[in-house]
Amino acid sequence: MRLVVDLTRCQGYGQCAFAAPEVFRMPGDEALVYEPNPGEEQREKVLRAAASCPVRAIVLDYQTRETVAAAKTRAREVATGVERIVIVGASLAGLRAADTLRREGFTGSLTLIGDEPYEPYDRIALSKQVLTGWVPAQHTALPRSGSLDAQWRLGQPAVGLDRRNKRVLLADGEQVAFDRLLIATGVRARPWPNADEAALDGVHTVRSRDDAAGLRQRLAADPGHVLVIGAGFIGCEVASDCRELGLPVTVADRGPAPLAGALGAAIGRVAAQMQRDAGVDLRCGVSVHALEGDADGRLRRARLSDGSTLDVNVAVAALGAKRNVEWLYGSGLAAGQWGVACDAGCRAFDVNGLVTDDIFVAGDVARFPQPVYDYQFMALEHWGNAIDQAEIAAHNMISAGPDQWPHIALPVFWSTQFGTEIKSIGVPTYADEVVVAQGSTDDRRFVAAYGRRGRITAAVTFDHGMWLEFYGRLIEQAAPFPPRLRTVDQPSTRQPVPAEVRPEPSPQATVVLTGHQPSERRAVLVHGG
């Protein structure tokens, strides 16, 4: 059987760890890790764990008779004229969209196209369970809702899109026709910028199943000192894995603190102390200038911007991600470095800002407006966002206009590192101040509320996840900041401090308008380097 835990919903009650301890583990107060592909001998325990979960966060790969009956009923209501749906991107968002289409009654042709040869798998497990050796990389396949009737085109990357003739162009020269198209191509790891250095034996990234399997093999061989370049969520999780395995690890990041790009430096300094307490050699305000190898092409040394050197034979480049949009260049869609622009119903925009009715976007590659944050366009690399958008896009693809749904949920994400569960709701970087509203940063068990111009915009919890939904309601209500609440475990002083959010650079683009008649005006998007 297969399972996945929606850690967006999980609140750390731990009932699953009691019911099925061989499958679910809690290394800290709220941090949860699990075996996504347990053996059949664990089925009864897992079913008991799913039933005992107070927030119903455990998703299994079975479909009830009631769900099948509902799908058959829904099939009579599906919008007419949609016989062929193609999903480009066979990962979490693509699979969830396919499941939703069948569950809502779509009975036509359904094709999933993926550039990897594997069926959809859970990337969340790669930087957690796989690297520590608890779960093999091949055991991370995602659960499905019953038998999914679909054509799978795995190991066949899409290389182009012919919008006029409604065809997806594949690398092998084949063309796949569609009535509706879902773009769910996600992101890939940003490689080390020097190609020769990136090719050294011992330099790794963590994004794909093969990446995780290769790095796991290297860590299991007791490599000595490990260098992690970048202190975002992936970099911090890799460092946590190294310390769990007893490996010495250095984390180098040019920012003022780990996670500063996502949470701001004020809370990032709490994460910094957590790492140092765990034995991580954390170096902030420092970048890696060069990676050096020996005559056989094996990594041996790293040179840092402060003039120091490190003797290492494993380096993990955790430099963020690049959205997989190159195959859309020339298609006329609004696709660029920040993703594919779409409306709140997941319908893609073309370069003129017009909404397309037959092309939808979901997951990490989507760039969409969020009404809570002044309708700014956002691109999120979060598990929960991929799930929500995929279900909304699938529903809207086969629904008439009045029945379509908007994607307006607040962003939620989590990270498990150093035995601590870090969760966030809202957008912490859309803030100028932060205050510890509950708990204690010294104990690393607290809620930090973020504010901008006098209203709450986000909340981050360290092992305090049960409060996330409460603060989410405050954000939606535009509650005043700092929060004036009477809650448990309030600190004696609640004085806001600057969040120290690092502003992101604005994307640059050149738009050329041609033609003299209104009907002839077209925007041409010129992609820079």
Side-chain angles (χ1 to χ4, degrees), residues 414-485:
W414 71 87
S415 175
T416 302
Q417 48 187 270
F418 304 100
T420 298
E421 189 79 359
I422 302 174
K423 290 188 174 183
S424 169
I425 190 164
V427 182
T429 53
Y430 191 82
D432 46 34
E433 291 185 300
V434 63
V435 65
V436 176
Q438 293 176 240
S440 165
T441 56
D442 291 338
D443 296 336
R444 290 198 286 273
R445 186 176 177 84
F446 63 91
V447 179
Y450 290 71
R452 177 183 173 91
R453 298 177 182 174
R455 71 179 179 91
I456 295 178
T457 58
V460 170
T461 67
F462 278 51
D463 279 348
H464 242 35
M466 67 177 61
W467 286 96
L468 214 63
E469 185 177 345
F470 171 77
Y471 282 90
R473 290 195 296 270
L474 296 181
I475 297 167
E476 292 174 336
Q477 296 164 5
F481 178 89
R484 303 179 184 92
L485 307 168

Side-chain angles (χ1 to χ4, degrees), residues 222-346:
D222 193 17
H225 206 96
V226 178
L227 171 64
V228 178
I229 309 170
F233 284 105
I234 293 296
C236 292
E237 288 173 4
V238 172
S240 175
D241 295 334
C242 288
R243 294 308 301 140
E244 184 175 338
L245 294 170
L247 299 174
V249 57
T250 295
V251 175
D253 190 274
R254 66 180 64 183
L259 306 179
L263 307 181
I267 298 302
R269 282 190 283 274
V270 179
Q273 191 57 49
M274 182 170 67
Q275 291 199 18
R276 292 190 171 106
D277 289 348
V280 175
D281 173 24
L282 176 63
R283 305 191 186 190
C284 296
V286 175
S287 57
V288 176
H289 272 189
L291 299 174
E292 299 178 352
D294 59 19
D296 296 321
R298 293 181 295 231
L299 176 66
R300 286 291 179 257
R301 189 174 300 104
R303 297 193 177 277
L304 278 57
S305 59
D306 61 2
S308 63
T309 61
L310 290 173
D311 292 329
V312 296
N313 49 22
V314 172
V316 181
L319 306 176
K322 298 184 69 174
R323 286 168 176 82
N324 295 316
V325 297
E326 290 83 359
W327 68 285
L328 295 169
Y329 289 173
S331 68
L333 292 182
Q337 63 173 319
W338 297 113
V340 183
C342 63
D343 69 0
C346 302

Side-chain angles (χ1 to χ4, degrees), residues 66 127 131 215 352:
E66 291 77 9
S127 58
L131 292 188
L215 181 56
N352 297 287

